[in-house]
Amino acid sequence: MDVLKQLLGRLHPLFVHLPIGFIILGLLIKWYDRKKNAHTDLLPLIFLWAGYSAVLACITGYAQYIGEGYAFETVKIHLWVGIATAVFSFIMYAKLKELKAVAFLSKVSITVLSVVSFILISFTGHEGGTITHGEDYLIEPLPNSVKSALGFETYEEKDIVLTDENWQEAQLYEDVIKPILNNKCISCHNPKKSKGGLLLHSEEAILKGGENGPVITANKASESELFTRMKLPKEDDNHMPPEGKSQPSKEEITLIGAWIDAGHPFDKSIGELNLKKNLFLPFIPKKAANNYPDIEITAASADSIKAIEKTGVHVDLISKSSNFLTVSCINKPAFTNADFDALLPIKSQIAVLDLGGTKITDAIVEKLPMLTNLTVLKLDNTQITGENIEKLDGLAHLKSLNVTYTNFAKEHLTKLANFKKLEKVYVYNTPINATDSTFLKGSDIHIDYGNYQLPQIAADTIVY
């Protein structure tokens, strides 16, 4: 018997839509046919079937009520209005058929009865939606600004804002955990809508738990319902938040677990708890690796650029959002140290300079410091040896140096350790080899020796 009750109850969401469809269809046809009255025989049949299907919806709804454990206070309005809708559907049938049983309604127009029928079906549906999705199910999807304008209480949606500089000072609960709960859980667990008797809007409410007891166990995330329910597969009936709600990311769930394992503190910083940075990396914005300084610069003169390009040197904007330039001598291999002076009118705007494959020599390092915003410097395939390379350490923004296919000597490599922002040096096919990296011991500069070889795979041996 219990199985039958549960089965009938599970059919309620299917059958409940039948009377809605029949009644709406009947009302639409009545309005459409209000002048010609060409469907007077069809309308009574539609409302008769509306009545039958409404009775079936009431039976399955009652089965769901007793089989799923709903409190009567929760379903009583929906139940009684549903019964009223079924009865009224039969009244509409009798009125349209002009049966004597409803003669007392002879003075009531069919239009009035149609309006009452529409109100009943609408109110019944609304009460059903309230039981399933909560009292604010129609309001919940609206933006907080609209909710506030309508007079509804809102809970601020807050992003997790961390940086490389402040992540350890951030309060774990206030700055990390609370935003996750506000954004993903509060809509169902707040003072106006507490599913399972659980509130998550305050410290006291979280510690109190729900109708089944506490939802967090200090230092034991794996035994805490708040965490374990989030980790369940989405198709699991016990997964939270339920399907259709905004879901927390894997990284957010991991942070909930880390917070509980740390003793679920409400007043300690990340640094005080000695939590690892990798937990928070997904929430620390990555700085763009631009090939130009993070500063504003005026645009270079268009006439100066045209004059330089006439000599065969290519000049182009690095990006549409910046006035910094990339300058390349790829089309002018005869470029010499003396030709460098032609670039001086745009010296402040040059961030990327490619002198690869030209006739420059070590003497060029006397002039390069004039490019104060130089970020990327390519000196490959030239006569550079590294002599006096230390004179470039005043380039405060230099991040990348390419000296591949040159005679850059290993004794000059150690001079690069004093460069303030230098991150990468390309030395493939120079006298420098991997064992020479000890010259930069303790430095963050990465030496790229090139000569990479891909491992052979099975497909490489196939003969076509």
Side-chain angles (χ1 to χ4, degrees):
M1 182 61 72
D2 288 338
V3 174
L4 181 60
K5 284 190 296 185
Q6 286 192 352
L7 180 60
L8 282 174
R10 297 291 173 95
L11 290 174
H12 179 65
L14 172 64
F15 289 127
V16 77
H17 294 91
L18 291 175
I20 296 174
F22 281 125
I23 291 173
I24 296 299
L25 176 63
L27 295 177
L28 288 174
I29 291 177
K30 178 60 183 173
W31 176 81
Y32 179 78
D33 196 41
R34 64 189 183 279
K35 294 181 179 180
K36 296 183 179 180
N37 293 320
H39 301 289
T40 52
D41 294 333
L42 178 62
L43 279 173
L45 182 62
I46 290 175
F47 280 98
L48 180 62
W49 279 105
Y52 288 148
S53 59
V55 170
L56 187 58
C58 290
I59 294 172
T60 55
Y62 184 75
Q64 187 176 37
Y65 151 60
I66 59 178
E68 300 291 338
Y70 284 100
F72 182 70
E73 289 298 317
T74 303
V75 304
K76 66 178 182 180
I77 297 178
H78 179 58
L79 176 62
W80 287 119
V81 180
I83 293 173
T85 301
V87 171
F88 207 80
S89 295
F90 289 120
I91 291 176
M92 285 289 290
Y93 162 74
K95 175 69 175 178
L96 291 167
K97 291 287 287 186
E98 298 181 352
L99 299 180
K100 292 182 179 180
V102 292
F104 65 93
L105 294 175
S106 58
K107 293 184 180 180
V108 181
S109 70
I110 195 67
T111 300
V112 172
L113 295 178
S114 295
V115 171
V116 174
S117 182
F118 180 75
I119 293 173
L120 279 173
I121 197 66
S122 299
F123 188 60
T124 305
H126 172 69
E127 286 299 311
T130 299
I131 293 171
T132 305
H133 303 293
E135 293 183 2
D136 61 344
Y137 76 100
L138 289 176
I139 303 299
E140 185 181 334
L142 297 176
N144 279 344
S145 57
V146 177
K147 291 181 186 177
S148 298
L150 294 174
F152 290 91
E153 186 175 2
T154 61
Y155 294 90
E156 179 187 5
E157 290 193 7
K158 183 180 178 183
D159 292 330
I160 299 174
V161 181
L162 302 174
T163 67
D164 275 318
E165 293 75 28
N166 78 353
W167 71 275
Q168 288 184 303
E169 287 74 37
Q171 293 292 308
L172 179 58
Y173 174 73
E174 189 66 29
D175 297 324
V176 178
I177 302 303
K178 187 175 181 179
I180 297 174
L181 297 178
N182 272 19
N183 298 345
K184 305 295 166 62
C185 306
I186 293 296
S187 63
C188 291
H189 300 285
N190 61 72
K192 288 191 175 181
K193 180 183 178 183
S194 56
K195 284 191 174 182
L198 175 63
L199 300 175
L200 296 174
H201 69 295
S202 68
E203 176 182 344
E204 295 76 14
I206 293 171
L207 294 176
K208 181 180 178 182
E211 59 189 19
N212 295 322
V215 293
I216 53 175
T217 302
N219 307 113
K220 295 181 180 179
S222 60
E223 298 179 14
S224 301
E225 194 172 358
L226 178 65
F227 175 70
T228 56
R229 283 198 174 219
M230 286 184 175
K231 288 199 70 176
L232 288 173
K234 291 181 182 179
E235 58 271 14
D236 193 301
D237 289 341
N238 291 319
H239 170 79
M240 289 294 166
E243 188 176 358
K245 299 289 185 180
S246 179
Q247 299 293 318
S249 65
K250 290 181 180 179
E251 294 80 7
E252 289 174 329
I253 295 173
T254 299
L255 284 177
I256 294 290
W259 173 62
I260 296 173
D261 282 334
H264 59 76
F266 290 89
D267 58 355
K268 290 188 177 181
S269 69
I270 296 171
E272 288 175 319
L273 296 168
N274 293 318
L275 295 177
K276 294 182 179 179
K277 186 177 182 179
N278 62 345
L279 286 169
F280 307 93
L281 285 178
F283 307 95
I284 299 176
K286 295 180 180 178
K287 295 180 179 178
N290 294 325
N291 287 334
Y292 54 88
D294 187 20
I295 58 176
E296 295 290 332
I297 195 76
T298 57
S301 164
D303 291 337
S304 296
I305 293 175
K306 287 180 181 179
I308 294 170
E309 288 185 327
K310 284 181 179 180
T311 68
V313 176
H314 180 72
V315 181
D316 198 6
L317 280 172
I318 287 182
S319 78
K320 293 181 179 179
S321 60
S322 171
N323 289 321
F324 283 107
L325 303 171
T326 177
V327 175
S328 173
C329 295
I330 190 172
N331 295 322
K332 191 177 181 180
F335 188 93
T336 65
N337 298 340
D339 295 319
F340 180 84
D341 294 342
L343 305 180
L344 294 180
I346 60 171
K347 62 181 181 180
S348 298
Q349 288 80 20
I350 297 177
V352 177
L353 178 61
D354 184 358
L355 299 177
T358 63
K359 297 187 181 300
I360 61 168
T361 66
D362 286 320
I364 197 74
V365 298
E366 301 284 348
K367 299 182 177 183
L368 287 172
M370 289 188 282
L371 308 183
T372 53
N373 291 317
L374 190 61
T375 307
V376 176
L377 176 60
K378 299 179 182 180
L379 304 174
D380 54 287
N381 293 281
T382 64
Q383 300 176 41
I384 292 291
T385 67
E387 188 72 31
N388 297 323
I389 196 70
E390 68 275 8
K391 293 187 176 180
L392 298 184
D393 66 359
L395 293 173
H397 303 289
L398 186 63
K399 295 197 300 185
S400 175
L401 176 64
N402 186 344
V403 292
T404 58
Y405 290 92
T406 68
N407 289 317
F408 197 97
K410 64 180 182 181
E411 59 265 27
H412 300 307
L413 190 61
T414 184
K415 300 173 182 177
L416 301 178
N418 297 323
F419 284 41
K420 298 179 179 64
K421 293 288 185 69
L422 191 59
E423 297 174 358
K424 204 163 187 176
V425 180
Y426 299 87
V427 297
Y428 175 61
N429 208 8
T430 67
I432 302 170
N433 57 58
T435 60
D436 296 323
S437 61
T438 55
F439 284 94
L440 289 175
K441 188 176 181 179
S443 171
D444 292 330
I445 300 172
H446 173 70
I447 307 298
D448 191 314
Y449 298 95
N451 198 28
Y452 301 113
Q453 294 186 11
L454 295 175
Q456 189 178 55
I457 59 176
D460 293 338
T461 62
I462 297 175
V463 178
Y464 294 93

